[in-house]
Amino acid sequence: MRLRDLPSVDELLRDERLAAAPRPLALAAARAALDRAREEIRAGAEPGDLVERALAELESARAPRLRRALNATGVIIHTNLGRAPLADAALERVAEVGRGYSNLELELESGMRGSRQDHLADILRRLTGAEAALVVNNCAGALLLALAALAEGRDVLVSRGELIEIGDGFRIPDVLERSGARLVEVGTTNRTRAADYERAIRPETAALLAVHQSNFRVVGFTERPRLAELAAIAARHELPLVDDLGAGAFAPLEDEPTARESLAAGADLVTFSGDKLLGGPQAGLVVGRKAAIAKIRKDPLKRALRVSKLTLAALEATLRIYASGHRLPERLPTLALLMRSREDIRAACARLADPLRARLGERFEVAIEECASQIGSGSMPEERLPSMALVVRPQGKASGRVIESVERRLRGLPVPVIGRIAGNALWLDARCLLPQDEPSFVDNLKSL
Ligand SMILES: *Cc1c(COP(=O)(O)O)cnc(C)c1O
């Protein structure tokens, strides 16, 4: 099709399905379909039936803005894509608790006012070995609150190697400053020793903070004290040691410390996320010593970081799966995705390749190739999981714009498919496309 063969907006609006829609919506849909078709023609692609495309635009304008997407990036815990997919049991609990009323802050036995924190404290204690536990809105909030409650106006010692940026401009030194605590840097970027902390302790010191390096590694001439060494120093000076784990795996994973291990090594407070390796809803978990948690519970900031009943319902269900200790990967999608074998992913690619080939036509080659997935969200940044991808390449000589346009079209589908471009090819890592996602993937292609 050439640019001048494109229909006009008025011609498109003569279609009765478009004409039946409210005029401003139909108009916007027709214009959007035409704009995209022009772009595609310029990029050398065939735009297809414009009425169908306008109808698809209309449908997407009517669809909710926050919606489901298919993750073909190969990054399992992808913050931009909503991090951990929830367990069925967690979703059921959200529906049940959210649909009506609950005992959120009511003690059923006494009929007195209760605390929303009571529902999860026991199970968190059991799972981590902590004396006490608290749940807030997210891990950044948990850290902010812990520092504010324990160290406002006083010093917190942190290694220069751990003054990190987690992502989206979230930096540990900034959080520390907003908590009202004073940051005291110890050691150097690559080497910090236990003695560096010891030397920096003075009467104004309120806490020692360890931050899991999460999204990067320092290699070469490096040194870090073990957590137990820091704990010994903290204990000698009667100071709390806070360990910000971030990912907070519950099932042991190489290189990712669990909250239980951190507490056992002597941390007084451990903070971690609910929606990273734990595989639950967005939440910040704080576990540790009774006295420290009690201080945090009294801090007015706690109210500002309060966790919702929906989060508590989903988190409780997720924690109960861990507590039950059986069939974890079957019941927790995040673990299933982590453990998915290359053969299983290859089979998924084989099922999806033909529909994709049929839809993209002869101008593209769709190959099935090995690739490597990542855990994401700062967990084991160097670790690569063997995976398989559908790799879309333009046939013959084509500019990079062509593959960008395929990427954009997939992203624009009713259920957006998110892949990544590398070397004039679009890589769709199938690790995070679960069998139940496959029908959506295939149906979707009709709109491509
Ligand atoms: C991800 C992360 C956080 C922040 O967690 P959110 O749940 O995103 O608030 C804090 N600390 C570390 C070490 C992290 O990896």
Side-chain angles (χ1 to χ4, degrees):
M1 195 184 271
R2 291 165 303 179
L3 283 175
R4 64 165 177 271
D5 299 330
L6 285 171
S8 68
V9 170
D10 286 336
E11 280 170 304
L12 285 179
L13 292 186
R14 267 178 232 137
D15 179 88
E16 59 189 24
R17 291 163 298 175
L18 281 170
R23 177 131 178 117
L25 277 183
L27 204 57
R31 287 190 179 136
L34 282 165
D35 283 348
R36 286 188 195 222
R38 276 187 211 104
E39 264 178 50
E40 284 170 21
I41 292 172
R42 286 194 196 107
E46 192 52 49
D49 184 333
L50 266 289
V51 170
E52 287 303 321
R53 298 200 52 171
L55 286 168
E57 292 283 348
L58 187 62
E59 195 177 330
S60 83
R62 283 171 161 165
R65 290 293 301 261
L66 175 60
R67 51 199 233 264
R68 179 169 166 242
L70 296 177
N71 176 4
T73 63
V75 179
I76 299 172
I77 306 167
H78 198 307
T79 299
N80 303 159
L81 301 179
R83 290 198 182 159
L86 292 180
D88 285 343
L91 296 168
E92 281 157 24
R93 299 291 300 129
V94 168
E96 184 178 330
V97 167
R99 193 169 286 125
Y101 299 96
S102 63
N103 63 336
L104 182 64
E105 293 189 350
L106 180 73
E107 276 183 13
L108 291 175
E109 245 172 65
S110 64
M112 308 287 273
R113 177 166 189 169
S115 160
R116 65 182 63 211
Q117 297 294 341
D118 293 345
H119 305 293
L120 268 68
D122 275 342
I123 194 166
L124 277 170
R125 278 201 298 264
R126 247 185 301 137
L127 285 167
T128 64
E131 291 172 9
L134 185 86
V135 182
V136 292
N137 185 55
N138 62 355
C139 183
L143 184 60
L144 177 74
L145 180 59
L147 294 171
L150 299 182
E152 190 179 6
R154 298 169 67 205
D155 292 357
V156 173
L157 310 187
V158 193
S159 160
R160 289 195 169 86
E162 296 174 4
L163 291 172
I164 60 176
E165 174 166 327
I166 310 285
D168 196 24
F170 166 57
R171 292 176 163 175
I172 294 293
D174 297 340
V175 175
L176 230 144
E177 192 190 311
R178 295 298 289 182
S179 75
R182 218 171 16 245
L183 166 66
V184 175
E185 302 178 12
V186 303
T188 62
T189 307
N190 56 332
R191 289 173 75 101
T192 300
R193 300 182 191 84
D196 294 323
Y197 292 86
E198 184 112 51
R199 257 199 308 276
I201 291 174
R202 49 180 199 150
E204 293 82 1
T205 306
L208 276 62
L209 171 65
V211 182
H212 185 49
Q213 283 184 337
S214 29
N215 52 2
F216 72 107
R217 290 286 177 270
V218 180
V219 295
F221 188 55
T222 64
E223 182 174 347
R224 299 178 76 189
R226 284 180 303 113
L227 196 67
E229 291 176 69
L230 285 193
I233 292 171
R236 203 152 55 237
H237 295 271
E238 294 182 15
L239 293 170
L241 169 63
V242 179
D243 188 17
D244 178 34
L245 285 183
F250 257 42
L253 272 176
E254 124 194 47
D255 233 22
E256 279 298 330
T258 63
R260 178 178 280 282
E261 286 164 353
S262 176
L263 291 170
D268 296 286
L269 279 184
V270 178
T271 52
F272 56 104
S273 298
D275 55 351
K276 292 185 180 171
L277 285 172
L278 183 63
Q282 179 190 306
L285 291 80
V286 193
V287 296
R289 297 232 183 266
K290 211 181 225 160
I293 298 274
K295 254 193 197 157
I296 295 180
R297 284 184 73 152
K298 285 213 264 323
D299 197 288
L301 199 52
K302 191 192 93 184
R303 172 62 188 251
L305 298 165
R306 188 160 86 169
V307 67
S308 85
K309 61 183 178 181
L310 303 183
T311 303
L312 288 171
L315 189 56
E316 184 181 12
T318 308
L319 294 173
R320 282 190 188 282
I321 295 176
Y322 284 102
S324 81
H326 71 281
R327 298 194 296 119
L328 297 191
E330 245 171 274
R331 297 156 76 202
L332 284 165
T334 307
L335 293 189
L337 293 172
L338 260 169
M339 296 170 68
R340 200 170 180 197
S341 72
R342 179 172 257 170
E343 285 324 300
D344 193 41
I345 305 169
R346 189 194 304 273
C349 286
R351 289 189 294 272
L352 299 174
D354 276 342
L356 186 60
R357 274 187 199 115
R359 196 60 211 168
L360 287 174
E362 299 206 325
R363 299 182 49 251
F364 295 93
E365 173 205 48
V366 178
I368 297 176
E369 292 178 22
E370 294 189 350
C371 68
S373 312
Q374 289 178 57
I375 298 177
S377 274
S379 305
M380 300 193 274
E382 290 177 300
E383 176 87 306
R384 291 289 180 273
L385 309 167
S387 189
M388 297 299 295
L390 296 165
V391 189
V392 181
R393 292 189 181 85
Q395 296 276 29
K397 278 202 295 276
S399 77
R401 301 264 303 275
V402 176
I403 206 69
E404 280 168 23
S405 126
V406 176
E407 187 271 339
R408 199 168 44 241
R409 281 160 62 198
L410 283 165
R411 191 157 34 83
L413 289 174
V415 185
V417 177
I418 315 297
R420 69 191 158 82
I421 291 180
N424 204 24
L426 175 65
W427 291 73
L428 303 173
D429 182 330
R431 171 179 297 275
C432 305
L433 298 177
L434 290 168
Q436 65 264 29
D437 292 328
E438 290 179 18
S440 311
F441 183 92
V442 175
D443 280 354
N444 232 351
L445 294 175
K446 289 204 277 286
S447 316
L448 190 68

